[in-house]
């Protein structure tokens, strides 16, 4: 920060035990009592997929689900969500298998540089959990708090619509373009 | 969800203790055993060019890479190869690098616009428990800068601070609170100097210029660079039938990437620096680090993390990278520095705030008899890429139109603001906006359709611009025709009701800079790629190309996969570390696809040759009878006679082990000999045309862009999915600049909106519906015909929107962004001037064609035939700018006409009449002064 104003940082706030369920696992960490959820998740729990973009709730990169609701973790005091169930981008996949929303973002160009992607995934998954049949306008409303500088949002909306189709059961997930581990030794034409 | 979503093949049914699904085991299949896809796939004839017997049409002619097309990957919509890392949160950006024992660095920044640093007292900070290192400018006296000709930066202030937020000192401590506290304890004594904020004042002589360049300093002004260029015959301008005069003001804009800068520096146990940074241009950072830290380059390993958006804003070597390295060396522990969003604005390097004046002339035949451009650009506190920007503001306006004359004066001044630098569409965006709006105005004055006016004045493919740029492929005409058709232009233009408007804009941009920044006598290539294949068959591609989200890693993997006919999953691109990556100049000037993919193709061709030779030996069949397809090499006549890729590989590895090949790319020699001839030179140029439709609320001045038809000529879309993403993303960024984004400096020169709440990046609600249209003009030198698609698509959106606003309300506003307050003020002014009581009664412009319309339609249809002939022709006749004005294309125009001039300095008679930026030429360089200084 620039200027003379300074809020004394030391002594730091006393630490408190913080516990919640993060991505299906109980977590118990020591964190400063005034810590925001973003810092606890990144620095204490180790969920580095949660991104810090602006520190003031304007970019949406830090969105996580708290008890199923999308929240900006940079504006959420960790102590306020003590004991809740938190899902970050790392918890969206079904084990080793990508969730439809993840697969569709990758396939439809919903992610370019990828920094805003975790926040978008959380916002859109929260939407699809409630509404598997969203209109483009409803999608826009759901992701209006997320800034993306690369895609111009259009391919993000397409990704979410594609995932919604899978959620509704209208479409089966696209097969990968080629097998992930092709044998380099194929036989000739059959 | 029975199949799909397979991260790794294998069981879909096994679950973990938490109920989630387990990854399957990867089976390793010994050669010949079958495997997951035991049979070769058919050749994908839809992606093999006509000339090779496939179904892919080639309206723009053949390409020298056609015979290496295998139908594997090029031209197919391909998800990014690193996409899974990004959607799972595993992609590691700058701040995600966490090394054991790390400490946190903070930077002390100047609170003054301009001041001498008289003393720095670090003792209190050093005494604070938990502080491990403190550093000031005295620790790093060497200068650096991205351009070798303008090295004017230090890691931290050495003598002066030059803008609010300039670096003064830095500290490293065990945690962030301690580091912040220590930063506050550093006491700096300043002597405040008179600051310059208005770029116009930067042209004046002052007592204490922001930088001093010794004998090359221009007077005692703050002019960092001045440019004068005059080409062609200006004597005809007085007989112009229509003229346009536009005086523009462009606010500075920031890249607004979502990832703030972050850096981790670590001196390893052997004393080598390992520096992790989200850099677009790791190589220049590498050079600068070695200079500033005074270590040889081979003792520095620059590790590019994932880059959370660049757009030009992460392409300078940055002082905070030096600070982290200095702190880490002092503390003996890894240091991580992460910026607040505010600090991103202090380091800036965004688009230059600019004053641009254009005068444009059209003659009685609706030919463009001249462009006169004067651009004063505000460089802020440092040079950055400004030397180049100063040229680009003029020279990138010399196409796509054929000009009778071109006159450009440009100046870049230092002011006490955060430095401006390169941003997507570097240097070309603002001038392009001004001249495209000028074209619209000229069309109105000539009473012709603006698209037809453009179509009748285009340079053809394989031609030379007035300043000597070599244009090869050129899809401008198709781009204009496609957006005209797509937008139903003819039924809308000048026919829509008040408040609704439609507008056109074009773009022209370089596809790679013709000369490297470090003008190397050793003729190093621009890009080098190494390919290595060991017995397992996996192809490792080493490249220094920096993937900043644009998909360069994917493009490189695609071209290698295409040449070797292997699935994309067998290509592994390693591009993060300078230790293992051959030098690539980085992701700037839209060079990566063109240069790096060309280098990758040449390396892959070497590998291909070895594989085909081996197959030819095994099969006892001449190499030219063999084709490659999906992991096999076989006879053209009988696919059953062949060998697998792995068999051929193992055969060619006999006695030598891994196959290794290196490929490189250098630009061909080109360009004129005048001073500045190299600026704007490129091996290829991209062209684009956009039509935008807007709604303007005449009661509030609020503009909403509703639809955009965006045609971009990228030569050949290697990956249409990524090209469309670039086009739509460019629309977003350009719309921000034209409608809402601006860096607001208050009366005292202080930046008032260094955050993403007040700096207004368009959200999803502001985005129009964009219809991307890809034009493929097949560039003869591009990889498989490709050119750039990352920056050029940004240019046309600004003028298209401004022209559409005029179509909607009949008012031209030359002051971006077009925020509602400005638009409403302009509406109110017009209502007052024309005595209109209700905004709803504003007149809208209408078009009655003059006799010229028919003439230019006829001319453009003739040119259409000419262009399609020239596009396909293998060896085209010469065509120089000037043919439209009756010149012989085989002789330089200056030899044909005594009035045709080429000048890079004003004559003494001209000095009086020059514009704002041109007035920089009235000052004399120190070395030419009699008394010196």
């Amino acid at each position: 920060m620039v200027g003379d104003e300074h809020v004394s940082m030391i002594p730091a706030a006393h630490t408190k035990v913080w516990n919640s369920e993060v991505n299906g696992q109980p977590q118990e960490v020591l964190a400063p009592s005034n810590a925001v959820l973003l810092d606890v998740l990144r620095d204490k729990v180790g969920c580095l997929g949660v991104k810090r973009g602006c520190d003031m709730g304007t970019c949406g990169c830090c969105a996580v689900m708290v008890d199923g609701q999308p929240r900006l973790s940079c504006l959420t005091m960790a102590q306020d969500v003590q004991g809740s169930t938190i899902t970050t981008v790392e918890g969206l996949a079904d084990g080793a298998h990508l969730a439809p929303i993840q697969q569709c973002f990758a396939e439809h160009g919903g992610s370019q540089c990828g920094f805003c992607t975790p926040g978008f995934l959380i916002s859109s998954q929260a939407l699809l959990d409630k509404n598997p049949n969203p209109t483009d306008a409803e999608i826009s409303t759901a992701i209006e708090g997320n800034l993306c500088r690369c895609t111009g949002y259009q391919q993000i909306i397409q990704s979410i619509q594609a995932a919604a189709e899978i959620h509704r059961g209208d479409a089966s997930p696209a097969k990968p373009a080629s097998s992930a581990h092709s044998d380099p030794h194929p036989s000739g034409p059959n | 969800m029975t199949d799909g979503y397979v991260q790794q093949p294998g069981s879909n049914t096994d679950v973990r203790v938490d109920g989630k699904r387990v990854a399957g085991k990867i089976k390793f299949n010994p050669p010949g055993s079958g495997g997951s896809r035991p049979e070769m796939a058919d050749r994908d004839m839809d992606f093999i060019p006509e000339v090779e017997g496939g179904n892919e049409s080639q309206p723009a002619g053949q390409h020298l890479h056609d015979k290496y097309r295998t139908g594997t990957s090029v031209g197919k919509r391909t998800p990014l190869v690193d996409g899974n890392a990004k959607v799972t949160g595993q992609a590691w950006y700058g701040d995600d690098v966490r090394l054991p024992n790390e400490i946190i660095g903070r930077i002390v920044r100047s609170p003054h616009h301009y001041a001498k640093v008289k003393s720095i007292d670090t003792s209190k900070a050093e005494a604070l428990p938990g502080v491990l290192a403190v550093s000031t400018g005295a620790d790093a006296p060497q200068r650096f800068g991205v351009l070798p000709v303008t090295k004017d930066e230090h890691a931290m202030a050495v003598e002066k601070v030059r803008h609010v937020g300039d670096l003064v000192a830095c500290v490293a401590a065990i945690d962030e609170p301690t580091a912040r506290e220590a930063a506050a304890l550093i006491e700096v004594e300043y002597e405040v100097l008179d600051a310059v904020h208005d770029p116009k004042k930067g042209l004046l002589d002052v007592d204490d210029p922001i930088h001093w360049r010794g004998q090359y300093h221009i007077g005692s002004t703050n002019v960092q660079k001045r440019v004068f260029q005059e080409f062609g015959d200006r004597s005809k301008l007085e007989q112009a039938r229509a003229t346009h005069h536009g005086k523009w003001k462009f606010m500075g804009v920031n890249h607004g990437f979502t990832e703030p800068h972050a850096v981790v520096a670590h001196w390893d146990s052997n004393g080598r620096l390992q520096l992790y940074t989200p850099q677009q241009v790791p190589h220049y950072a590498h050079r600068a680090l070695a200079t500033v830290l005074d270590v040889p380059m081979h003792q520095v390993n620059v590790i590019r993390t994932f880059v959370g958006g660049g757009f030009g804003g992460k392409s300078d070597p940055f002082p905070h990278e030096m600070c982290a390295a200095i702190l880490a060396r002092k503390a003996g522990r890894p240091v991580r520095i992460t910026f607040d969003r505010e600090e991103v604005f202090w380091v800036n390097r965004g688009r230059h705030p600019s004053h641009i004046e254009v005068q444009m002339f059209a003659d009685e035949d609706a030919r463009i008899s001249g462009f006169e451009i004067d651009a004063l650009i505000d460089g802020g506190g440092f040079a950055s890429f400004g030397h180049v920007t100063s040229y680009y503001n003029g020279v990138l306006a010399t196409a796509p139109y054929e000009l009778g004359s071109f006159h450009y004066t440009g100046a870049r001044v230092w002011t006490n603001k955060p430095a401006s630098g390169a941003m997507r569409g570097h240097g070309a965006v603002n001038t392009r906006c001004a001249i495209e709006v000028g074209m619209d105005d000229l069309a109105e004055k000539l009473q012709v359709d603006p698209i037809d006016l453009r179509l009748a004045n285009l340079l053809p493919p394989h031609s030379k611009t007035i300043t000597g740029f070599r244009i090869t492929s050129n899809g401008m005409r198709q781009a204009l025709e496609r957006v005209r058709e797509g937008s139903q232009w003819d039924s809308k233009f000048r026919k829509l009701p008040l408040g609704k408007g439609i507008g056109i804009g074009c773009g022209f941009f370089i596809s790679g800079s013709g000369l490297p920044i470090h003008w190397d006598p050793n003729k190093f290539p621009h890009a080098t790629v190494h390919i290595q294949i060991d017995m397992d068959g996996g192809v490792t591609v080493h490249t220094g190309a920096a993937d900043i989200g644009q998909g360069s890693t994917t493009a490189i993997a695609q071209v290698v996969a295409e040449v070797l006919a292997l699935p994309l999953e067998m290509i592994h691109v390693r591009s993060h570390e300078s230790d293992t990556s051959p030098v690539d100049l980085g992701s700037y000037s839209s060079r990566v696809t063109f240069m790096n993919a060309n280098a990758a193709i040449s390396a892959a061709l070497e590998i291909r040759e070895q594989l085909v030779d081996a197959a030819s030996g095994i099969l006892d069949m001449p190499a030219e009878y063999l084709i490659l397809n999906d992991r096999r090499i076989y006879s053209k006549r009988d696919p059953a006679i062949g060998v697998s890729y792995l068999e051929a590989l193992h055969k060619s590895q006999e006695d030598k082990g891994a196959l290794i090949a290196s490929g490189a790319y250098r630009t061909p020699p080109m360009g004129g000999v005048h001073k500045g001839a190299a600026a704007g030179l490129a091996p290829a140029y991209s062209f684009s045309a956009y039509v935008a439709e807007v709604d303007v609320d005449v009661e509030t001045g609020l503009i909403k862009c509703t639809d955009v038809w965006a045609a971009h000529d990228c030569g050949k879309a290697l990956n249409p999915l990524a090209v469309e993403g670039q086009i739509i993303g460019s629309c977003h960024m350009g719309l921000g600049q034209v409608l809402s984004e601006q860096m607001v400096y208050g009366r005292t020169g202080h930046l008032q909106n260094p955050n993403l709440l007040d700096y207004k990046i368009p959200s999803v609600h502001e985005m129009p519906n964009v219809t991307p249209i890809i034009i493929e003009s097949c560039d003869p030198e591009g990889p498989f015909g490709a050119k750039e698609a990352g920056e050029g698509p940004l240019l046309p959106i600004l003028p298209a929107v401004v022209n559409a606003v005029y179509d909607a309300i009949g008012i031209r506003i030359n002051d971006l962004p077009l925020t509602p307050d400005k638009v409403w003020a302009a509406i109110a002014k017009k209502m007052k001037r024309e005595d209109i009581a209700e905004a709803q009664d504003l007149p809208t412009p209408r078009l009655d064609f003059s006799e010229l319309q028919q003439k230019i339609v006829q001319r453009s249809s003739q040119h259409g035939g000419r262009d399609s002939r020239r596009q396909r022709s293998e060896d085209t006749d010469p065509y120089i700018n000037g043919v439209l004005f009756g010149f012989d294309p085989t002789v330089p125009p200056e030899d044909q006409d005594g009035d045709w001039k080429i000048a890079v300095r004003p004559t003494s008679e001209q000095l009086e009449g020059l514009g704002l930026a041109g007035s920089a030429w009235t000052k004399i360089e120190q070395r030419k002064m009699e008394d010196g200084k």
Side-chain angles (χ1 to χ4, degrees):
Chain A
M1 297 287 168
V2 162
D4 296 330
E5 77 287 351
H6 177 68
V7 180
S8 182
M9 293 279 176
I10 289 181
H14 66 280
T15 52
K16 273 176 85 172
V17 172
W18 179 86
N19 49 37
S20 277
E21 186 186 305
V22 180
N23 297 331
Q25 297 301 317
Q27 292 285 347
E28 187 168 288
V29 297
L30 268 181
S33 58
N34 62 356
V36 292
L37 181 60
L38 172 65
D39 287 341
V40 173
L41 288 174
R42 279 183 68 80
D43 298 340
K44 305 290 179 186
V45 182
C47 291
L48 292 170
V50 186
K51 300 301 181 202
R52 173 198 298 277
C54 70
D55 283 309
M56 56 191 291
T58 50
C59 73
C61 294
C62 65
V64 299
M65 268 191 246
V66 177
D67 295 331
Q69 295 295 320
R71 296 274 290 265
L72 294 170
S73 64
C74 76
L75 296 185
T76 304
M77 300 303 289
Q79 294 299 336
D80 289 350
V81 293
Q82 163 97 341
S84 54
T85 303
I86 293 169
T87 307
T88 71
V89 64
E90 288 97 338
L92 288 177
D94 180 7
H97 301 255
L98 297 184
I101 191 72
Q102 293 174 300
Q103 177 95 356
C104 291
F105 262 68
E107 256 170 33
H108 294 262
S111 174
Q112 282 185 28
C113 84
F115 196 80
C116 70
T117 305
F120 271 97
L121 290 172
I122 293 292
S123 300
S124 34
Q125 185 64 53
L127 169 71
L128 295 180
D129 286 346
K130 280 186 300 202
N131 178 5
N133 197 11
T135 62
D136 282 0
E138 284 167 340
I139 291 177
S140 295
T141 306
I143 61 172
E144 65 191 0
N146 295 80
L147 285 182
C148 170
R149 194 56 158 168
C150 298
T151 63
Y153 307 103
Q154 203 158 308
Q155 291 179 332
I156 289 180
I157 294 177
Q158 285 162 7
S159 307
I160 298 172
Q161 286 292 15
E165 273 187 45
I166 299 173
H167 274 258
R168 292 195 299 270
D170 292 354
S172 54
K175 288 245 170 128
S178 56
S179 162
H181 296 275
S182 316
D183 186 339
H185 208 315
S187 51
N190 48 359
Chain B
M1 274 187 265
T2 50
D3 51 16
Y5 312 133
V6 178
Q7 201 174 29
Q8 293 166 324
S11 163
N12 256 344
T13 50
D14 292 353
V15 290
R16 310 191 299 220
V17 280
D18 63 356
K20 294 201 168 186
R21 291 191 289 166
V22 176
K25 284 183 186 162
I26 305 165
K27 280 191 206 148
F28 178 76
N29 301 293
S33 67
S36 54
R37 262 178 57 211
E39 266 112 30
M40 175 187 77
D42 291 338
R43 293 181 89 198
D44 196 341
M45 299 313 278
D46 291 346
F47 291 91
I48 290 179
E50 274 171 346
V51 63
E52 295 296 310
N55 305 329
E56 188 179 284
S57 69
Q58 296 182 287
Q62 300 175 18
H63 192 272
L64 79 147
H65 292 151
D66 282 345
K67 56 178 178 286
Y68 307 118
R69 289 285 298 277
T70 58
T72 306
S73 183
V74 161
K76 297 185 178 179
R77 302 179 74 84
T78 310
L80 300 185
V81 292
D82 49 5
N84 282 6
K86 289 166 179 171
V87 298
T88 51
Q90 291 175 46
W92 45 289
Y93 300 85
D95 188 54
D96 301 334
V97 176
R98 304 289 167 108
L99 300 181
N101 226 11
E102 66 162 15
I103 55 176
I104 303 297
R106 283 296 300 177
I107 288 164
V108 180
R109 294 178 180 277
S110 164
H112 300 294
H113 296 298
Y114 192 31
K116 277 206 170 83
V117 178
K118 295 184 77 175
S119 68
I120 305 179
D121 181 359
T122 60
S123 56
K124 284 185 192 158
E126 278 164 17
L128 186 72
V131 173
L132 291 157
V134 179
S135 176
T136 66
D139 294 327
Q142 282 87 351
R143 290 166 185 275
F144 68 93
V146 66
L147 303 184
V149 288
T150 53
K151 292 189 177 183
D152 64 357
E153 294 182 60
H154 290 99
M156 288 158 281
V158 162
E159 180 203 353
K160 294 194 271 195
V161 287
R162 295 181 167 89
H163 61 84
V164 170
D166 203 0
L167 294 83
V168 182
C170 57
V171 298
I174 46 159
D175 56 18
E176 192 179 329
T178 314
R180 282 180 185 268
E181 188 71 21
L185 289 173
I186 291 183
E187 288 167 358
V188 188
E189 198 186 340
Y190 296 100
E191 177 191 329
V192 176
L193 302 169
D194 286 338
V196 177
H197 298 295
D198 181 353
K200 292 177 187 165
K201 299 230 168 86
L203 294 163
L204 308 176
D205 288 317
V206 290
D207 293 339
D208 207 344
I210 296 170
H211 293 274
W212 184 250
R213 292 177 59 203
Q215 58 168 338
Y216 295 103
H217 204 93
I218 297 165
S220 58
T221 65
N222 277 307
V223 175
Q224 183 238 321
K225 174 71 187 168
R226 60 185 178 183
V227 178
F228 178 93
Q229 291 203 334
E230 187 174 327
F231 289 83
D233 182 2
R234 292 171 75 207
S235 64
K236 309 246 164 46
L237 297 184
E238 283 154 22
Q239 303 134 34
R241 170 158 170 177
T243 60
H244 164 78
H245 184 197
K247 260 183 127 163
W248 285 79
K249 189 173 164 210
F250 296 91
M251 299 294 273
V253 289
N254 184 267
H255 316 84
F257 38 71
T258 43
E259 182 205 14
H261 301 271
V263 57
V264 176
H266 170 45
W267 295 82
D268 69 14
S269 47
N270 289 331
R272 290 184 77 221
L273 174 63
Q274 312 282 337
L275 189 106
Y276 302 77
T277 180
Q279 259 285 357
Q280 292 180 247
V281 187
H283 181 62
Y284 296 146
H286 194 173
R287 286 182 182 245
L289 281 162
T291 307
V292 173
L293 301 170
D294 202 15
V295 292
M297 274 179 79
H298 55 75
Q299 292 305 302
V300 179
N301 183 21
V302 177
I303 300 155
R304 176 185 63 81
T305 66
F306 276 76
V307 182
F311 315 113
K314 290 173 181 165
S315 51
D316 289 59
F318 284 112
H320 62 267
E321 292 167 340
M322 322 292 164
C323 289
I326 294 166
L327 288 170
R329 179 147 67 178
K330 282 193 166 190
R333 287 170 69 167
V335 170
R336 172 161 57 90
I337 297 179
T338 304
F339 278 13
D340 300 333
R341 178 56 61 175
E342 184 183 323
E343 294 182 281
V344 174
F345 283 88
W346 299 133
V347 77
N348 191 27
R349 320 287 157 149
R351 203 178 312 292
H352 291 65
S354 309
H355 293 279
I356 293 178
E357 189 172 355
V358 291
Q359 294 186 71
M360 296 163 55
F361 304 84
D363 68 10
E364 67 285 354
D365 293 323
R367 297 176 300 191
I368 312 295
S369 45
F371 278 180
E372 317 243 305
I373 300 168
D374 180 83
L376 173 65
I377 60 175
D378 181 348
F382 296 99
S384 185
F385 281 90
H387 194 84
V388 181
T389 325
S390 311
Y391 280 105
Y392 280 3
N393 264 285
V395 298
L396 293 184
T398 56
Y401 311 116
E402 194 160 349
L403 304 177
S405 68
F406 173 72
H407 177 89
Y408 170 57
T409 44
R412 183 181 191 268
V413 294
W414 287 300
T415 60
N416 296 108
K417 296 187 182 125
S420 308
M423 179 171 164
R424 199 177 200 176
H426 185 191
V429 174
N430 294 345
T431 312
R432 175 59 54 185
C433 179
I435 65 168
E436 291 295 326
V437 171
M439 290 296 285
D440 206 58
D441 192 38
L442 284 181
E444 172 145 48
K445 287 172 176 158
L446 295 168
Q447 293 177 280
V448 296
D449 184 281
I451 293 187
D452 288 316
L453 179 66
R454 287 171 167 88
L455 285 171
N457 284 290
L458 294 181
L459 281 164
H462 301 284
S463 57
K464 261 195 177 150
T465 69
I466 193 164
T467 49
F469 298 157
R470 183 200 68 159
I471 286 176
T472 50
S473 59
N474 177 348
M476 193 70 240
R477 187 170 298 278
Q478 295 97 297
L480 278 163
E481 285 164 353
R482 291 283 299 278
V483 292
R484 170 181 236 165
E485 190 191 319
S487 64
Q488 298 174 299
W489 172 268
D490 293 326
S491 66
K492 291 178 182 166
F493 180 68
R494 298 288 189 256
K495 292 172 183 152
L496 296 173
L498 177 70
K500 295 211 181 286
I502 189 165
I504 175 87
C506 291
F508 164 78
F509 201 69
I510 55 172
S511 185
S513 171
L515 285 168
I517 285 176
H518 287 266
W519 210 326
D520 225 310
N522 296 321
K523 301 189 174 168
F524 280 136
H526 291 239
T528 311
V529 170
H530 297 168
I531 298 182
Q532 170 198 325
I533 313 182
D534 217 324
M535 55 74 60
D536 60 9
V539 181
T540 307
V541 183
H542 291 286
T543 167
D547 197 319
I548 58 175
Q550 85 280 45
S552 67
T553 299
T554 308
I556 305 305
Q558 276 187 282
V559 297
V560 173
E562 180 76 15
V563 171
L564 300 179
L566 296 173
L568 212 49
E569 294 76 11
M570 289 176 70
I571 318 292
H572 315 300
V573 180
R574 290 285 171 273
S575 63
H576 286 288
E577 270 189 71
S578 65
D579 271 3
T580 54
S581 305
V583 169
D584 180 90
L585 298 183
S587 292
Y588 65 94
S589 79
S590 282
R591 55 174 292 289
V592 180
T593 298
F594 199 93
M595 299 189 177
N596 211 271
N598 261 326
I601 289 172
S602 84
L605 287 179
E606 216 175 288
I607 299 270
R608 180 188 189 273
E609 195 184 329
Q610 297 183 53
L611 292 172
V612 171
D613 278 353
S616 153
I618 299 171
L619 297 168
D620 195 18
M621 187 179 281
E624 59 269 26
Y625 289 4
L626 298 175
I627 54 173
L628 281 74
N629 176 42
D630 191 23
R631 302 164 290 152
R632 274 181 71 79
I633 302 171
Y634 55 84
S635 161
K636 272 179 196 169
R637 304 217 172 96
D638 183 356
I641 304 173
V643 294
S644 77
Y645 155 71
L646 208 58
E647 279 165 329
L649 175 70
H650 289 172
K651 170 81 178 165
S652 56
Q653 285 183 340
E654 279 175 6
D655 298 330
K656 64 178 174 194
L659 289 194
I660 293 178
S662 176
Y665 176 81
R666 267 188 73 210
T667 50
M670 52 191 175
V673 292
H674 60 273
K675 184 178 192 306
L681 269 191
Y685 296 90
S686 73
F687 298 85
S688 32
Y690 287 12
V691 166
E693 232 179 294
V694 299
D695 274 355
V696 184
D697 185 335
V698 290
E699 306 283 352
T700 63
L702 184 70
I703 298 169
K704 164 87 180 139
C705 182
T706 54
D707 287 279
V708 177
W709 291 266
H712 177 72
D713 164 25
C714 65
K716 162 87 193 160
L718 299 179
N719 181 0
L721 181 71
V723 173
E724 289 174 9
Q726 289 295 318
I727 292 174
I728 303 167
S730 292
C731 279
H732 170 261
M733 193 171 276
L735 265 178
Q737 188 183 352
V738 68
L739 293 181
S740 60
E741 290 178 33
Q742 53 181 330
M743 290 175 73
V744 180
Y745 292 93
R747 263 186 310 123
T748 58
H750 199 79
L751 179 61
Q752 295 179 331
N753 58 345
N755 61 67
L756 292 183
L757 188 62
D758 300 311
Y759 183 84
K760 301 211 173 292
I761 291 174
S763 80
V764 64
H765 295 303
E766 278 79 50
M767 265 308 277
N769 178 34
V770 181
T771 309
I773 300 167
I774 296 173
I775 308 288
E776 299 192 325
S777 62
C778 189
D779 190 76
E781 294 174 19
F784 297 108
K787 306 186 280 192
E788 73 95 24
E791 299 189 70
L794 189 143
L795 308 180
I797 185 70
L798 282 80
V801 168
V802 177
N803 287 335
V805 169
Y806 178 75
D807 190 46
I809 57 171
I811 300 173
R812 290 195 192 279
I813 303 167
N814 297 349
D815 183 0
L816 297 192
L818 302 180
T819 47
D821 54 323
K822 275 183 207 164
V823 178
W824 168 244
I827 291 173
K829 194 170 154 197
K830 178 164 182 168
M831 286 165 59
K832 195 170 173 197
R833 195 175 58 228
E834 301 187 2
D835 202 17
I836 300 168
E838 291 292 326
Q840 295 295 347
D841 298 332
L842 279 170
T844 48
R846 291 292 175 244
L847 175 62
D848 291 318
F849 289 131
S850 70
E851 85 292 352
L852 272 175
Q853 173 70 15
Q854 208 189 345
K855 204 167 170 179
I856 62 169
V857 168
Q858 206 177 359
R859 185 161 88 220
S860 62
S861 100
Q862 282 168 4
H863 285 185
R866 169 198 76 182
D867 289 4
S868 60
R869 255 193 328 275
R870 295 183 68 84
Q871 183 79 57
R872 291 191 62 99
S873 166
E874 294 298 307
D875 56 335
T876 312
D877 313 331
Y879 189 106
I880 48 163
N881 180 86
V883 173
L884 185 60
F885 297 87
F887 286 93
D888 176 349
T890 56
V891 183
E894 60 271 28
D895 296 344
Q896 302 179 46
D897 178 356
D899 290 332
W900 190 279
K901 279 179 62 174
I902 295 181
V904 294
R905 294 187 76 82
T907 61
S908 48
E909 301 85 67
Q910 280 178 314
L911 283 177
E912 279 298 301
L914 295 176
L916 189 59
S919 69
W921 286 92
T922 59
K923 306 288 178 186
I924 306 171
E925 271 186 23
Q926 286 292 332
R927 60 183 173 149
K928 295 192 176 150
M929 290 180 178
E930 276 169 17
D931 53 347
K933 189 177 172 183

